[in-house]
Amino acid sequence: ACYAASAVGYLTGRPGVCLVVSGPGFLHALGGMANATMNCWPLIVIGGSSDRNQETMGAFQEFPQVEAGRLYNKLSVRPSSLEVIPAVIEKAVRTSIYGRPGSCYIDIPGDFVNLQVNKSSVKYMECCLPPPVSMAECSAISEAGYIIVHSKQPLLIIGKGAAYSHAENNIRKLVDLCGLPFLPTPMAKGVVPDNHPNCVAAARSMALQHADVIILLGARLNWILHFGLPPRFRQDVKVIQIDICAEELGNNVRPAAMLLGDINAVTKQLLEEFSKRPLKYPSNSEWWKRLREKIMNNEERSKGLALQKSLPMNYYTVFHHIRELIPKDCILVSEGANTMDIGRTMLPNYHPRQRLDAGTFGTMGVGLAFAIAAAMVAKDQTPEKRVVCVEGDSAFGFSGMEVETICRYNLPILIIVVNNNGIYTGLDADAWKEMLKFGDPAICVPPVSLLPNSHYEEIMSAFGGKGYFVKTPEELQNALKASVTDKQTPSLINVMIDPQSERKKQEFPWLTRSNL
């Protein structure tokens, strides 16, 4: 529930609200609070707590919730009285969306529930105004413009902060006006469509390693971008950092220019700068030639894997058929190990805020919650939009029983479980049987191996949805067509693949997880 509420905040720009009980209920929501704050998504959690007159007495589910919440929230507070609850709620909403968005926790003691108060003493509040839009200093804009104009191998990196600020129109104008190559971080895919000719996602490693000027649009130089450090970046790379949070500026790499402000507003300032100082990076430059050559090579390698006819199928074959048959404007939720990594490269996004995954915190267990949140938001705003949730079999195990929630609310979500019988790699049925000959599976079976050929689709069938168990490309195509055509019923396609299927060889094998 907490993960779902946080996704509502990201998709709508207003905090989703999660109501939890005291003690263990609060503790189980901490993961959602931390995930929201790490991803910079607005969220409000309201938790019950034990009666105030029973504190330190060992009350039912007693726990220092306000203190614990401070580690994971922008605000963690208990109203001092019933009268101030509206003021506390207003502050929590405002805090969650102003500046860098994040989670806020409000603690409600049990004895508040039956208290009475004189209505005239309640401090009613109006809703807070939308977040103020801040802009970068003019001198910083000029400095950034000068650096970009004189760059030889520029790269624009688009982060999910740009998606959250609805900066897509201005960023697309900037890319088209200046002819800059761009690289989206995972949840920024679609801010500029993945099929745009300037997208260099298929040459990611090379683009990062050789760019002499990098413009960060709402992206952080954290583990996802290898901290901006060698060997993944040039030692002398010039970074132009655009962020809404002053404390983020200069983290890990000292920027050549710092532009503090709202991503959409600052991008508009850059557009105005380049209208006065025109820039059109030449498409026939040596930099573009090298990038296009790398893109073509990598795409050919992926295409070769995708068109393999051998059975069981590999990841690339499965994603090839998924890409061909799911709606182009669907909201994609992706969760897993190889499933998420390979899916990011194989499943394109054409619209902003339509990809949800493990995010900055690398959280597993978010998939079905995000899908439910996306489906509820779509039901309210764009009823025709489909939600497709692509899960690894291990990832599905974290929250698979939420299929009941999906069926209960009749949300037409399509879940695709890419099943390799394990985490990264698994065992086929024959290898599993051989392994059992050595003794107790708790001792002999590798801990990353899951039970072979598990019928996850039967969970969906048990609750009234449609389940499909597929082993061949033809079966996968038929199941996808049936699921996409039926816009009323939830469905789950359990796709068996080669347990030893892996991603294509990486240029930096010691850092394979850092491409998440």
Side-chain angles (χ1 to χ4, degrees):
C2 202
Y3 289 138
S6 69
V8 168
Y10 172 63
L11 294 170
T12 66
R14 299 289 297 181
V17 183
C18 180
L19 181 67
V20 298
V21 297
S22 55
F26 165 84
L27 280 170
H28 290 315
L30 278 177
M33 297 182 220
N35 194 64
T37 298
M38 290 289 185
N39 278 316
C40 311
W41 294 354
L43 167 70
I44 291 176
V45 176
I46 300 174
S49 59
S50 48
D51 291 4
R52 291 172 297 173
N53 63 358
Q54 295 177 358
E55 286 184 0
T56 74
M57 296 176 65
F60 177 66
Q61 295 184 337
E62 182 179 354
F63 190 77
Q65 295 173 192
V66 175
E67 293 83 351
R70 290 195 179 109
L71 283 172
Y72 309 98
N73 293 277
K74 292 181 71 179
L75 175 72
S76 183
V77 63
R78 171 188 285 183
S80 58
S81 66
L82 293 185
E83 289 89 339
V84 301
I85 285 178
V88 170
I89 295 290
E90 188 275 340
K91 181 169 184 176
V93 172
R94 178 163 39 85
T95 304
S96 74
I97 59 176
Y98 276 34
R100 172 181 279 177
S103 177
C104 293
Y105 173 67
I106 301 169
D107 194 75
I108 305 294
D111 54 299
F112 270 29
V113 176
N114 293 317
L115 284 181
Q116 293 186 349
V117 64
N118 190 320
K119 189 175 180 180
S120 62
S121 65
V122 176
K123 298 177 180 177
Y124 289 103
M125 304 286 292
E126 291 185 9
C127 289
C128 66
L129 296 170
V133 176
S134 54
M135 300 172 72
E137 294 177 280
C138 293
S139 59
I141 292 290
S142 297
E143 186 178 5
Y146 178 85
I147 294 169
I148 296 168
V149 165
H150 289 86
S151 63
K152 303 295 184 187
Q153 297 177 175
L155 178 65
L156 183 67
I157 298 180
I158 304 170
K160 66 176 176 288
Y164 181 82
S165 72
H166 289 248
E168 54 269 16
N169 291 335
N170 282 328
I171 292 176
R172 290 177 197 180
K173 288 177 185 176
L174 182 67
V175 169
D176 291 334
L177 177 70
C178 300
L180 297 170
F182 74 88
L183 174 70
T185 60
M187 270 193 275
K189 282 162 60 71
V191 170
V192 182
D194 283 346
N195 61 352
H196 191 286
N198 287 36
C199 181
V200 296
R204 181 184 191 274
S205 294
M206 180 185 169
L208 292 177
Q209 192 178 28
H210 296 288
D212 65 344
V213 170
I214 286 177
I215 306 103
L216 285 175
L217 276 170
R220 290 172 279 178
L221 289 177
N222 55 22
W223 65 276
I224 294 176
L225 289 173
H226 323 295
F227 314 105
L229 300 174
R232 302 306 292 267
F233 288 74
R234 284 171 52 150
Q235 184 75 45
D236 61 349
V237 65
K238 293 180 179 178
V239 174
I240 297 168
Q241 193 169 8
I242 306 167
D243 206 282
I244 199 171
C245 177
E247 291 83 353
E248 188 61 40
L249 300 173
N251 272 350
N252 298 320
V253 174
R254 186 183 181 92
M258 297 186 291
L259 281 61
L260 176 64
D262 174 79
I263 305 300
N264 190 34
V266 175
T267 306
K268 189 174 181 180
Q269 287 180 279
L270 285 172
L271 282 169
E272 292 168 355
E273 176 70 15
F274 290 125
S275 69
K276 295 181 290 186
R277 187 195 333 221
L279 165 66
K280 187 69 175 181
Y281 190 73
S283 60
N284 61 349
S285 67
E286 187 62 29
W287 178 228
W288 260 124
K289 288 177 184 176
R290 292 169 62 195
L291 287 170
R292 288 196 184 101
E293 183 180 351
K294 191 66 178 176
I295 289 168
M296 188 171 65
N297 289 341
N298 283 343
E299 287 179 346
E300 283 298 317
R301 290 167 64 197
S302 295
K303 185 178 179 181
L305 290 167
L307 296 179
Q308 285 183 0
K309 302 295 185 183
S310 58
L311 293 177
M313 294 180 285
N314 65 49
Y315 283 104
Y316 293 86
T317 303
V318 170
F319 284 123
H320 168 73
H321 292 295
I322 293 173
R323 181 179 63 204
E324 294 300 307
L325 291 170
I326 60 173
K328 293 281 190 288
D329 66 342
C330 71
I331 298 174
L332 271 171
V333 179
S334 183
E335 181 183 24
N338 283 336
T339 298
M340 186 170 64
D341 289 352
I342 300 170
R344 186 192 71 252
T345 64
M346 291 289 293
L347 299 178
N349 288 85
Y350 305 101
H351 304 280
R353 296 169 297 281
Q354 293 194 3
R355 177 184 163 87
L356 298 164
D357 64 20
T360 306
F361 213 25
T363 308
M364 292 291 105
V366 297
L368 270 66
F370 284 0
I372 290 167
M376 292 298 289
V377 171
K379 186 177 180 180
D380 184 50
Q381 297 181 358
T382 51
E384 293 301 310
K385 194 176 294 294
R386 297 298 300 273
V387 176
V388 178
C389 181
V390 184
E391 297 274 301
D393 48 338
S394 170
F396 181 74
F398 280 96
S399 56
M401 286 304 289
E402 295 303 333
V403 164
E404 186 276 334
T405 309
I406 291 169
C407 291
R408 188 187 341 142
Y409 293 118
N410 196 32
L411 302 173
I413 296 168
L414 167 55
I415 301 171
I416 302 169
V417 178
V418 184
N419 188 348
N420 70 339
N421 301 333
I423 306 168
Y424 287 113
T425 58
L427 301 172
D428 61 27
D430 292 337
W432 180 270
K433 288 178 183 177
E434 287 298 313
M435 192 73 70
L436 294 183
K437 292 179 181 178
F438 293 98
D440 185 348
I443 298 170
C444 301
V445 173
V448 293
S449 296
L450 302 175
L451 202 62
N453 302 329
S454 295
H455 283 266
Y456 299 112
E457 80 284 352
E458 293 184 2
I459 299 175
M460 178 64 80
S461 301
F463 294 114
K466 293 182 178 178
Y468 303 88
F469 184 77
V470 306
K471 291 185 174 182
T472 68
E474 294 74 26
E475 291 173 346
L476 175 57
Q477 288 174 326
N478 292 336
L480 284 166
K481 289 174 183 175
S483 300
V484 170
T485 302
D486 187 347
K487 299 180 180 180
Q488 306 299 321
T489 312
S491 55
L492 190 153
I493 304 173
N494 185 12
V495 188
M496 300 307 304
I497 67 167
D498 183 352
Q500 298 302 309
S501 177
E502 294 183 290
R503 55 191 302 192
K504 65 180 187 285
K505 296 298 181 185
Q506 301 298 297
E507 294 177 47
F508 298 89
W510 63 90
L511 276 170
T512 53
R513 285 299 293 157
S514 61
N515 265 345
L516 227 114

